[in-house]
Amino acid sequence: MNEWLEEALKLAVKNVESGGHPFGSVLVKGGEAVAEGVNELHIKTDVSAHAELVAIRKAQDHLQTTDLSDCTLYASGEPCPMCLTAAYFAGIKEIHYAQTVEEASQAGLSLSGKVYEELTKPKEAREINFVHDPVKNADLDAMKLYSRKKSESE
């Protein structure tokens, strides 16, 4: 097993021993760990305090960039949809994980699988009701303002 994946698993075990969920992660750049994280839901009232997101935040702060395309993520468990999305936004190109969403579900952590399933459904069939209310006031059209400012700076 890869040393970084083993480190992520050790972090996960330690987190369980301290009352947390079984998730740990390590972000590696050029053969060196730049950040690590564990699931912090047992110490923070923050649903986004997942191991991967904690590590991504720490790495971006440490490296002073949002671009982590030269980093590899090692996670004890298969990233949930939220963590996977953050990895995409950070430009991460490779993720290694040890335990699957199915294994997490068998351990009593079934939300990731449910969310992955929900994302395959059309918006109108999802449990969360999606309501599109288009912008009617041009002064509140942040997308057009952003596009205009971006064009002006190029």
Side-chain angles (χ1 to χ4, degrees):
M1 174 176 284
N2 177 288
E3 68 177 298
W4 299 115
L5 195 52
E6 190 171 319
E7 182 61 27
L9 286 164
K10 287 177 182 177
L11 289 167
V13 167
K14 187 176 178 183
N15 203 45
V16 170
E17 290 171 346
S18 68
H21 289 93
F23 300 104
S25 65
V26 181
L27 263 166
V28 176
K29 176 181 176 177
E32 298 290 325
V34 293
E36 61 184 38
V38 295
N39 187 298
E40 298 178 346
L41 294 174
H42 63 297
I43 55 176
K44 291 184 177 180
T45 52
D46 177 359
V47 296
S48 72
H50 287 200
E52 299 89 338
L53 288 175
V54 170
I56 287 170
R57 287 181 185 122
K58 286 179 180 178
Q60 289 177 332
D61 187 51
H62 173 70
L63 300 171
Q64 289 297 288
T65 183
T66 58
D67 181 5
L68 301 179
S69 59
D70 52 358
C71 293
T72 300
L73 177 62
Y74 294 88
S76 62
E78 183 175 355
C80 75
M82 177 176 60
C83 294
L84 179 60
T85 300
Y88 273 106
F89 275 97
I92 294 169
K93 304 274 191 272
E94 189 169 337
I95 299 172
H96 295 251
Y97 63 94
Q99 297 182 291
T100 65
V101 167
E102 292 76 20
E103 288 173 289
S105 183
Q106 291 169 0
L109 300 159
S110 60
L111 195 51
S112 290
K114 179 184 175 185
V115 175
Y116 271 120
E117 194 177 298
E118 279 288 298
L119 292 173
T120 66
K121 297 176 184 176
K123 289 177 193 168
E124 61 275 359
R126 294 180 188 161
E127 286 185 22
I128 294 176
N129 188 28
F130 277 68
V131 179
H132 178 219
D133 290 322
V135 176
K136 293 181 176 90
N137 181 339
D139 292 336
L140 299 177
D141 194 331
M143 296 293 181
K144 283 186 182 172
L145 175 61
Y146 176 82
S147 180
R148 193 169 52 247
K149 285 187 169 280
K150 187 176 178 193
S151 294
E152 291 169 359
S153 69
E154 292 175 348

